[in-house]
């Protein structure tokens, strides 16, 4: 049976017993509305740990748009069933007070990473992400924490935070799970109408095209063509597409050894992101 905790003290008391038995603990932080992408993180965590803790917490401080927070899908009963079916050991499902009561909001100097790409379109987002992830890491004290490549920039930001604060945890980035037609799985996909969903495919199609063509096309041209492919798609409003260095996220020269293409767009009212690692 999966143990479910809403209080951090109770969770910590439970995990202390397991730690005494030298059981490695893996953490999978989520905002719920679970799908197969989340479950792939749980599976990877299970393959490397004796105990897997999944957290479900819709973190208000990372939403720059109050409407987005309000309509974020919440499906806790279905989530619990999915986690039980996946043999997850522990669910941590705190409320906002349990996480942020008595918590001073600090600003972590994340540098340029915070202001590029997602940071430009979602001001303050990564301060909220680092706040909640640092709290989850200090409550759970996992040996390893698992995050999706889907949120590539988030992984870089969390890696930077862990280095800056000397948090003793190993971070693992797990591949993007996609629908059979290529759409990256996301909790927000439930907001797409059938029509919007078909237009949203332009994001993964364009990233695939970039992957197929980056070796033979100068990057400025690659980016311009990708931009125009997305901009031509009805109902899709491009925010950015960048061919970036995989560590700095600044535009990459063709000679870079670590390159990722990242995209964000609005499809109707729904904001979607996707990316592909090129080298
Ligand atoms: P979220 O609930 O959207 O905050 O996501 C929780 C974790 O699941 C994050 O580390 C995401 O990067 C990861 N994730 C979300 N969608 C996917 C996906 N399609 N494939 C793999 N991981 C994902």
């Amino acid at each position: 049976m999966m143990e479910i905790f809403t209080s951090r003290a109770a969770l910590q008391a439970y995990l202390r017993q397991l730690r005494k038995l030298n059981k490695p603990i893996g953490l999978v932080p989520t905002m719920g509305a679970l799908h197969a992408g989340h479950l792939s993180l749980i599976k990877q965590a299970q393959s490397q740990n004796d105990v897997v803790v999944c957290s479900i917490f819709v973190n208000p401080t990372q939403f720059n748009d109050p409407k987005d927070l309000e309509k974020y899908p919440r499906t806790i009963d279905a989530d619990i069933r999915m986690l039980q079916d996946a043999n997850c050991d522990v669910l941590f499902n705190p409320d906002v007070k349990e996480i942020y009561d008595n918590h001073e909001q600090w600003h972590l100097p994340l540098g340029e990473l915070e202001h590029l790409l997602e940071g430009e379109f979602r001001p303050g987002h990564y301060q909220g992400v680092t706040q909640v992830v640092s709290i989850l890491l200090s409550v759970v004290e996992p040996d390893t924490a698992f995050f999706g490549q889907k949120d590539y920039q988030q992984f870089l930001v969390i890696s930077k935070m862990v280095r800056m604060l000397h948090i003793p945890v190993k971070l693992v980035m797990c591949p993007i799970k996609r629908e059979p037609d290529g759409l990256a799985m996301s909790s927000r996909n439930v907001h797409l109408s059938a029509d919007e969903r078909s237009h949203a495919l332009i994001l993964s199609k364009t990233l695939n095209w970039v992957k197929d063509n980056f070796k033979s096309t100068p990057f400025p041209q690659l980016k311009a063509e990708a931009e125009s492919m997305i901009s031509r798609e009805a109902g899709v409003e491009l925010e950015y597409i960048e061919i970036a260095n995989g560590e700095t996220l600044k535009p990459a020269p063709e000679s870079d050894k670590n390159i990722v293409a990242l995209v964000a767009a609005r499809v109707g009212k729904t904001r979607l992101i996707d990316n592909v690692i090129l080298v």
Side-chain angles (χ1 to χ4, degrees):
M1 266 307 277
M2 180 169 72
E3 301 284 341
I4 302 180
F5 297 95
T6 53
S7 124
R8 17 178 183 175
L11 171 67
Q12 284 177 307
Y14 180 77
L15 293 178
R16 216 169 289 130
Q17 299 307 314
L18 295 173
R19 216 169 277 114
K20 273 193 207 144
L21 303 172
N22 280 327
K23 303 248 186 223
I25 298 172
L27 171 65
V28 179
T30 80
M31 298 207 297
L34 300 181
H35 50 66
H38 297 113
L39 293 184
S40 73
L41 269 58
I42 303 272
K43 216 177 232 170
Q44 187 148 348
Q46 287 170 329
S47 73
Q48 292 175 234
N49 294 277
D50 288 345
V51 181
V52 172
V53 179
C54 175
S55 63
I56 295 184
F57 178 64
V58 182
N59 174 34
T61 69
Q62 75 185 67
F63 283 81
N64 47 311
D65 174 359
K67 272 194 234 112
D68 187 24
L69 172 60
E70 199 184 305
K71 70 172 196 194
Y72 198 83
R74 292 163 205 250
T75 58
I76 189 68
D77 294 335
D79 292 350
I80 290 173
R81 282 195 296 274
M82 279 173 86
L83 290 173
Q84 280 168 335
D85 289 348
N87 292 318
C88 182
D89 303 292
V90 178
L91 166 62
F92 181 41
N93 181 213
D95 64 14
V96 173
K97 192 158 166 279
E98 188 66 19
I99 292 294
Y100 285 119
D101 213 19
N102 298 324
H103 179 74
E104 298 264 349
Q105 306 265 320
W106 35 250
H107 181 98
L108 202 62
L110 294 163
E112 283 180 296
L113 257 190
E114 183 189 352
H115 303 295
L116 287 162
L117 306 182
E118 284 301 284
E120 186 186 337
F121 286 89
R122 304 188 70 186
H125 172 63
Y126 287 123
Q127 289 300 326
V129 168
T130 51
Q131 270 155 26
V132 76
V133 174
S134 65
I135 293 168
L136 292 171
L137 291 175
S138 65
V139 170
V140 176
E141 292 183 68
D143 297 272
T144 314
F146 297 80
F147 297 90
Q149 180 200 322
K150 167 85 183 350
D151 297 273
Y152 188 93
Q153 188 170 2
Q154 167 174 280
F155 189 84
L156 295 182
V157 164
I158 292 170
S159 305
K160 179 159 187 176
M161 173 190 78
V162 160
R163 284 197 304 274
M164 285 170 82
L165 303 179
H166 299 276
I167 302 175
V169 65
K170 183 174 171 244
L171 303 179
V172 173
M173 183 161 80
C174 308
I176 303 177
K177 268 269 176 203
R178 297 180 179 281
E179 301 289 355
D181 58 10
L183 183 70
M185 288 183 182
S186 163
S187 303
R188 289 190 169 86
N189 290 351
V190 298
H191 295 315
L192 298 171
S193 67
D195 194 40
E196 287 170 343
R197 200 194 166 293
S198 70
H199 291 303
L201 288 178
I202 193 65
L203 302 185
S204 55
K205 275 190 197 149
T206 302
L207 290 174
N208 277 335
W209 178 86
V210 166
K211 196 174 167 64
D212 289 342
N213 290 280
F214 79 98
K215 286 192 180 136
S216 56
T217 316
F219 284 4
Q221 187 187 336
L222 193 68
K223 179 175 160 172
E225 291 198 22
E227 276 173 350
S228 100
M229 283 169 76
I230 294 172
S231 303
R232 280 200 304 269
E233 184 75 20
V236 179
E237 196 184 315
L238 179 66
E239 288 192 348
Y240 64 80
I241 183 157
E242 191 58 270
I243 320 290
N245 175 279
E247 279 164 30
T248 65
L249 295 188
K250 291 190 187 161
E254 284 82 349
S255 58
D256 262 5
K257 298 280 175 287
N258 181 357
I259 305 176
V260 53
L262 307 109
V263 66
R266 283 186 184 274
V267 182
K269 290 201 167 77
T270 308
R271 187 171 185 280
L272 301 178
I273 59 173
D274 199 353
N275 67 79
V276 63
I277 294 174
L278 301 177
V279 203

